[in-house]
């Protein structure tokens, strides 16, 4: 995806990168916000009667399971369907159209391949928030985080630079996985601490 929507790729298709990237980011944040709002709203009647301590413990358990899954404790891949965004859009539609389409699909969390169990922890957190406001905030942060990697492409103006950036991103994947596991562990710790001090 990063290689597809870059200033180099957009120039080759006579598109404006800034417009495509803006549409992508806006759609990603909007889709994340909608998903979070929906889950938070669904969680409102289901979890408002459940004590916050119990909800925090459930979040702790989800984060621990997510960290374990991402660390490979359970072996194999996490549950996901195997669908990617349709790259044919790049040559069929205007940049802002496929930018918005790709951003919306990625911001919606589960409409493409889910590569980390942290995505499911996010969905659970939005549901357990027990309020539309909490779910909305979680969704906005997720959608924004899905759009941030696109900013890595902003200074890329040559094919050599594009290759270097995409190579660096690929090389950083093991570190990113370890950081994801660590962040889920930290989330579990914070949720546990909050639960026991209530």
């Amino acid at each position: 995806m990063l290689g597809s929507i870059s200033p180099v790729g957009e120039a080759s298709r006579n598109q404006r990168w800034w417009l495509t990237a803006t549409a992508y980011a806006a759609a990603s944040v909007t889709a994340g916000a909608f998903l979070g709002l929906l889950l938070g709203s669904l969680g409102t009647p289901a979890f408002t009667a459940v004590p916050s301590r119990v909800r925090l413990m459930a979040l702790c358990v989800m984060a621990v399971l997510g960290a374990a899954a991402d660390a490979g404790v359970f072996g194999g891949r996490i549950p996901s369907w195997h669908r990617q965004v349709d790259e044919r859009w790049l040559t069929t539609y205007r940049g802002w159209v496929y930018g918005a389409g790709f951003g919306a699909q990625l911001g919606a969390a589960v409409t493409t391949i889910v590569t980390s169990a942290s995505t499911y922890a996010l969905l659970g957190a939005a549901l357990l928030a027990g309020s539309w406001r909490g779910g909305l905030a979680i969704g906005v942060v997720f959608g924004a985080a899905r759009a941030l990697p696109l900013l890595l492409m902003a200074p890329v103006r040559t094919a050599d630079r594009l290759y270097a950036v995409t190579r660096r991103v690929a090389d950083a994947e093991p570190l990113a996985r370890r950081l994801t596991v660590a962040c889920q562990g930290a989330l579990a710790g914070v949720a546990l601490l909050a639960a026991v001090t209530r």
Side-chain angles (χ1 to χ4, degrees):
M1 173 56 60
L2 289 179
S4 300
I5 301 181
S6 68
V8 174
E10 291 301 279
S12 73
R13 291 185 292 272
N14 294 316
Q15 303 293 337
R16 291 170 289 192
W17 180 82
W18 68 268
L19 182 59
T20 303
T22 300
Y24 179 101
S28 182
V29 170
T30 301
F34 179 76
L35 178 66
L37 177 67
L38 176 65
L39 289 171
S41 296
L42 289 173
T44 300
F47 293 112
T48 49
V50 176
S52 59
R53 176 179 293 163
V54 173
R55 287 187 278 154
L56 287 165
M57 288 303 295
L59 179 59
C60 175
V61 169
M62 282 190 301
V64 167
L65 290 174
D70 284 341
V73 171
F74 304 122
R77 294 176 181 247
I78 60 171
S80 175
W81 65 338
H82 298 284
R83 179 188 173 279
Q84 283 286 36
V85 294
D86 190 344
E87 290 204 6
R88 291 175 297 181
W89 289 13
L90 296 170
T91 56
T92 305
Y93 303 111
R94 293 182 181 271
W96 68 269
V97 174
Y98 60 74
F102 287 8
Q105 291 175 75
L106 294 171
V110 293
T111 57
T112 60
I113 296 172
V114 176
T115 59
S116 169
S118 62
T119 301
Y120 296 122
L122 156 98
L123 299 175
L127 188 66
L128 289 169
S131 79
W132 68 266
R133 288 181 188 86
L136 177 64
I138 291 166
V140 166
V141 169
F142 178 80
R146 290 299 293 247
L148 280 178
L150 199 60
L151 296 179
L152 293 172
M153 294 292 118
V156 174
R157 297 290 183 263
T158 66
D160 288 342
R161 181 83 176 122
L162 176 61
Y163 176 77
V165 171
T166 54
R167 184 80 223 141
R168 209 171 317 135
V169 169
D171 290 345
E173 188 176 334
L175 173 62
R177 188 160 295 280
R178 288 193 298 272
L179 286 173
T180 300
V181 170
C183 287
Q184 289 179 94
L187 174 61
V190 169
L192 179 61
L193 182 62
V196 297
T197 55
R198 284 190 178 265

